[in-house]
Amino acid sequence: SASDRLVLTSRSPNNSVAILTLNRPKALNALSSPLFEQLNEELEKADEDESVKAIVLTGGEKAFAAGADIKEMKDKQYAEVYKTNFLGSWTKMSSIRKPIIGAVSGYALGGGCELAMLCDILLCTPNATFSQPEITLGIIPGAGGTQRLTHLIGKARAMDMVLTGRKINGTTAGEWGLVSRVVGEGENVVDEAVKVGETIAGFGAVAVQAGKEAVNEALELPLDQGLRYERKLFHSLFATADQKEGMGAFAEKRKPSWTNQ
Ligand code: HXC
């Protein structure tokens, strides 16, 4: 039934943006295994659906997600978590080809902060709360909270957050580069994220996919290889109809009409 659904789905008015809403409000969207399984399913469905051009991922007003489910984890043993690759399925999200826009309101703690960092573009409210509080539980982050966070905000600030569990608000997250945009006081972060999604949905899907892929390679490759990767992808776009259309439309002073080919 609908109340069992841990991830709700809807669409933007023009249908081009899939909106996924974490729906476990009583546990502040603690990321249990069933929740993550449903999230992966919905992400994969959206990625396969031709009518979807971008994905918005959000939670509730009080919590985007308060972390991995502590009650589910607390009695687990090493051999079990190692053998089952506990929480390994979180990495599936990084194979989604379409842009994922995160909209954070309230708590993004531990795994919630890591989930936010798995998004491609991240928006938050000024008073959102970001933290990696794993140290307070006798562990460390396990889904990017020491790696992606360090890439985003630098070693000094990441070390501070990881070793002290320090909380930062959305405004600070914006200043530090943990998020792409901080919405204004009184603006709805989900609406703003959908607008970003609709903007992206207005461009050719092949170029959008290539842009996401190329930026992601910047985190994986040394600069010379990354630049070569970028150039290859750039060249490949000259094989698309959308490149002819986009440049043709500019020259003819008209709006382009993308075919996503
Ligand atoms: C399980 C959680 C939870 C969590 C909240 N709840 N966070 N359950 N796992 N991560 C549950 C509470 O137990 C409570 O259930 C209900 O949600 C409401 O929470 P309260 O604590 O009563 O709310 P409040 O007093 O407003 O405090 C909010 C809070 C606090 C500050 C966010 O809940 C909190 O500190 N949560 C834990 C945050 C945390 O440490 N996250 C990191 C987890 S480790 P009941 O049944 O009592 O109503 C992690 C590792 C990631 O994420 C590894 C990834 C690979």
Side-chain angles (χ1 to χ4, degrees):
S1 73
S3 61
D4 300 329
R5 286 177 47 211
L6 301 169
V7 179
L8 303 178
T9 59
S10 60
R11 287 291 182 94
S12 64
N14 75 7
N15 218 39
S16 63
V17 181
I19 305 163
L20 309 188
T21 306
L22 306 178
N23 181 41
R24 212 189 155 204
K26 284 186 187 141
L28 302 182
N29 290 332
L31 302 162
S32 61
S33 296
L35 188 155
F36 224 92
E37 219 167 274
Q38 286 185 32
L39 176 60
N40 278 335
E41 272 171 32
E42 294 301 341
L43 285 169
E44 272 159 29
K45 258 194 246 169
D47 213 24
E48 295 307 318
D49 188 328
E50 279 274 345
S51 68
V52 174
K53 305 289 187 223
I55 301 163
V56 165
L57 174 61
T58 192
E61 214 167 293
K62 181 172 175 187
F64 175 73
D69 192 318
I70 300 167
K71 293 163 193 168
E72 178 186 336
M73 288 185 289
K74 72 180 184 48
D75 296 321
K76 287 194 187 294
Q77 299 296 329
Y78 170 72
E80 179 190 358
V81 295
Y82 182 57
K83 287 192 293 181
T84 63
N85 191 19
F86 179 59
L87 302 180
S89 69
W90 287 37
T91 48
K92 275 192 190 160
M93 194 165 152
S94 32
S95 65
I96 300 296
R97 298 177 302 275
K98 289 171 187 167
I100 303 172
I101 301 127
V104 173
S105 171
Y107 296 115
L109 310 181
C113 187
E114 294 171 309
L115 178 63
M117 290 189 287
L118 275 160
C119 296
D120 300 306
I121 297 175
L122 192 56
L123 278 67
C124 74
T125 60
N127 52 9
T129 305
F130 294 88
S131 162
Q132 297 289 164
E134 285 87 349
I135 198 74
T136 70
L137 298 167
I139 55 168
I140 67 167
T146 68
Q147 305 298 302
R148 286 194 187 90
L149 185 67
T150 304
H151 280 292
L152 288 169
I153 68 176
K155 177 193 157 179
R157 287 164 168 165
M159 201 66 97
D160 188 352
M161 286 184 73
V162 169
L163 298 187
T164 71
R166 167 183 187 185
K167 293 183 169 74
I168 61 167
N169 67 24
T171 306
T172 302
E175 286 162 4
W176 287 6
L178 174 51
V179 302
S180 322
R181 307 185 191 189
V182 184
V183 302
E185 209 76 64
E187 272 182 329
N188 182 305
V189 70
V190 181
D191 291 349
E192 295 307 309
V194 169
K195 280 187 209 164
V196 172
E198 282 177 342
T199 299
I200 294 168
F203 299 120
V206 180
V208 167
Q209 181 173 326
K212 169 168 170 167
E213 189 181 334
V215 171
N216 277 333
E217 287 302 329
L219 297 172
E220 306 289 344
L221 297 175
L223 182 61
D224 62 334
Q225 288 175 36
L227 288 169
R228 202 167 330 136
Y229 196 96
E230 177 191 75
R231 183 72 50 79
K232 286 273 173 215
L233 266 177
F234 171 75
H235 286 163
S236 74
L237 292 176
F238 284 76
T240 66
D242 282 346
Q243 176 268 333
K244 300 292 174 289
E245 173 61 13
M247 293 190 181
F250 176 83
E252 292 159 23
K253 300 186 190 297
R254 59 173 176 83
K255 275 190 132 180
S257 174
W258 311 114
T259 53
N260 306 311
Q261 301 290 316

